[in-house]
Amino acid sequence: MGPIGVAAHLAPFLPGHPVTGLGGKDSIGAIAAAPYGSPSILTISWVYIALMGADGLTQATRVAILNANYMAKRLEKYFPVLYTGKSGFVVHEFILDARQFKESTGVEVNDIAKRLMDYGFHAPTMSFPVPGTLMVEPTESESKAELDRFCEAMIAIRAEIQEIQEGRRPKDDNVLKNSPHTAEVVTATDWKHPYSREQAAFPAAHLHDFKFWPAVGRIDNAYGDRNLMCTCPPMDSYSA
């Protein structure tokens, strides 16, 4: 990563550095050894290019584009795919539109992203470059089985949205609005939701054997971004 630019009113809060003298009076100090970014990322990119070579990079590009189009075609019946070419294809990534669900169900892209955690996935890029969407970039490194596993999770989530649309699930208490479901929540004695614990934690069959449990439940993302808290122990706790 290269230098990060900010507006002038944020400049005093930029990270400092003991050697270069960067940062202002309100700086929190250095956060990395390299004052202007992480130079190691350049080494990683160079090694990847050198190892792959021209033929390898060409093949990787072909597979990445093939993977993206395979997934887009599987999912286009369930979610609108934005910005396809004249022939209906995408390049190495594609954008799934979730904005149409908000009015009829109250479900937003953030709910889908959180629900994906219950299926064992970190959500793709959310609300960039289009608000209310997911940008999926499978790359060349994922197997077809993994691509299918993600597609099946998204199709299942679309069915969960459909249940809300048809009035079979309430808008304010459903698997999407309450996701992700932690082990503590699912195993608690008290369970008052109109859906089962199994539907919450094991919405796909393979999760019974391979389950990733989210560490925390739903949080207020915007509040967290605006109210940073350090959970690290104080420095004196490290003293003998």
Side-chain angles (χ1 to χ4, degrees):
M1 296 291 289
I4 304 299
V6 300
H9 69 286
L10 295 176
F13 303 95
L14 286 173
H17 198 272
V19 177
T20 62
L22 292 175
K25 62 182 180 63
D26 295 311
S27 172
I28 61 173
I31 61 172
Y36 299 106
S38 175
S40 64
I41 196 170
L42 301 177
T43 308
I44 295 170
S45 301
W46 182 85
V47 170
Y48 176 78
I49 293 170
L51 289 174
M52 294 287 283
D55 291 341
L57 290 173
T58 300
Q59 180 62 14
T61 302
R62 289 174 178 151
V63 175
I65 294 173
L66 177 63
N67 286 349
N69 279 279
Y70 170 73
M71 296 180 74
K73 289 300 179 182
R74 278 207 66 184
L75 294 174
E76 65 181 3
K77 295 183 295 184
Y78 306 93
F79 300 89
V81 178
L82 303 183
Y83 305 127
T84 58
K86 293 181 180 179
S87 57
F89 293 106
V90 297
V91 283
H92 67 289
E93 60 192 16
F94 60 98
I95 299 174
L96 298 175
D97 194 353
R99 293 172 293 184
Q100 68 275 16
F101 304 126
K102 184 175 181 179
E103 183 175 351
S104 60
T105 67
V107 171
E108 301 185 55
V109 69
N110 186 53
D111 301 314
I112 297 174
K114 300 297 185 186
R115 181 59 171 158
L116 277 169
M117 296 174 67
D118 287 330
Y119 284 85
F121 289 99
H122 186 290
T125 302
M126 188 178 73
S127 292
F128 177 85
V130 181
T133 66
L134 290 173
M135 184 172 70
V136 184
E137 186 175 3
T139 76
E140 74 284 357
S141 61
E142 301 292 350
S143 66
K144 181 176 179 296
E146 191 67 4
L147 303 183
D148 285 332
R149 193 169 74 90
F150 179 84
C151 288
E152 288 158 8
M154 290 297 296
I155 292 170
I157 289 173
R158 180 62 184 89
E160 293 171 349
I161 296 173
Q162 188 67 28
E163 288 185 334
I164 305 171
Q165 286 180 317
E166 295 175 356
R168 290 184 284 144
R169 298 293 183 190
K171 291 184 177 181
D172 59 346
D173 190 3
N174 54 69
V175 289
L176 285 115
K177 285 298 181 182
N178 296 327
S179 61
H181 298 83
T182 65
E184 181 180 5
V185 167
V186 174
T187 59
T189 302
D190 189 23
W191 182 264
K192 298 180 180 178
H193 302 298
Y195 53 90
S196 68
R197 299 172 190 261
E198 183 173 14
Q199 187 180 4
F202 302 102
H206 71 271
L207 294 171
H208 288 279
D209 298 317
F210 304 97
K211 173 66 179 179
F212 169 81
W213 287 100
V216 296
R218 182 70 66 100
I219 61 174
D220 188 328
N221 293 338
Y223 181 88
D225 290 342
R226 291 173 172 81
N227 298 270
L228 300 180
M229 293 179 60
C230 179
T231 58
C232 304
M235 293 301 296
D236 56 15
S237 69
Y238 294 97
S239 59

